[in-house]
Amino acid sequence: MNLIKTSIVVCAFNEELMLSKCLNSIKTNICNQANTNEIIIIDNNSVDTTSDIALKFIEDNNNLMIRYLKIEHVPLTSSRNTAISFCKGEYIVFVDADAIVGENWLVNILSKFNENTHIVAGNVTNYNNQSYFANFIYNSHYKCSLKTSRLIGANMGFKSSVFDMNNGFLAATGN
């Protein structure tokens, strides 16, 4: 029987401004079930202080199961596929490194899984309305995705069996 229920994957590339907030928001969500969750941080060859922040978080939270991998820069789907190969959880949940998860985020995602539900995605909100770039990405990518597929990469979870059957995400050839 698998002791790890959930693998939480954080893919990061040059996220020194947000990574600490992201990881701390995840920590708040799992602190009561730290022994059944793992966090996997995939550093997509960042050239800023992302690696220092990730390693400091691991050092400061040795009560949590956290793995850090720095990989050669690849497209995001390949980064996620690398993470999947290390995940031990029954569920694999993805969060972007520039995201902050809300209260009860993990409980809410996991509560939606059942015998017939293998993929769950949550909402995404742009809290950085002062940024032209953040507004552009939110409106051109996330907002329209919520109206169509409802599967948002910044906040999605899968039963690990989905990846066993499909060998991960479709590999991208570029960013």
Side-chain angles (χ1 to χ4, degrees), residues 66 90 113 136 157:
I66 309 170
E90 178 183 354
F113 284 102
F136 172 75

Side-chain angles (χ1 to χ4, degrees), residues 17-83:
L17 298 178
M18 289 298 297
L19 183 59
S20 182
K21 291 177 186 176
C22 174
L23 294 173
N24 280 307
S25 69
I26 293 169
K27 178 176 108 173
T28 300
N29 268 261
I30 67 170
C31 64
N32 292 332
Q33 308 93 18
N35 61 335
T36 62
N37 296 289
E38 67 176 350
I39 300 171
I40 299 175
I41 305 165
I42 301 291
D43 182 348
N44 202 348
N45 204 24
S46 297
V47 295
D48 63 1
T49 62
T50 294
S51 61
D52 297 334
I53 293 164
L55 294 171
K56 176 76 170 133
F57 182 81
I58 293 168
E59 180 184 317
D60 292 346
N61 294 283
N62 59 9
N63 60 318
L64 300 176
M65 288 185 278
I66 309 170
R67 281 186 276 167
Y68 169 81
L69 300 156
K70 187 162 188 168
I71 62 173
E72 181 179 326
H73 191 75
V74 294
L76 180 57
T77 53
S78 297
S79 183
R80 288 179 176 152
N81 284 338
T82 297

Side-chain angles (χ1 to χ4, degrees), residues 114-132:
N114 61 46
E115 184 179 322
N116 298 311
T117 302
H118 301 274
I119 302 170
V120 175
N123 286 332
V124 175
T125 302
N126 178 21
Y127 289 115
N128 190 5
N129 290 321
Q130 304 306 312
S131 166
Y132 173 79

Side-chain angles (χ1 to χ4, degrees), residues 8-23:
I8 302 165
V9 175
V10 179
C11 293
F13 175 65
N14 292 339
E15 289 295 346
E16 67 184 7
L17 298 178
M18 289 298 297
L19 183 59
S20 182
K21 291 177 186 176
C22 174
L23 294 173

Side-chain angles (χ1 to χ4, degrees), residues 81 119 158-171:
N81 284 338
I119 302 170
F158 299 80
K159 287 184 180 177
S160 61
S161 59
V162 169
F163 298 116
D164 295 340
M165 292 184 290
N166 295 297
N167 298 316
F169 291 102
L170 182 63

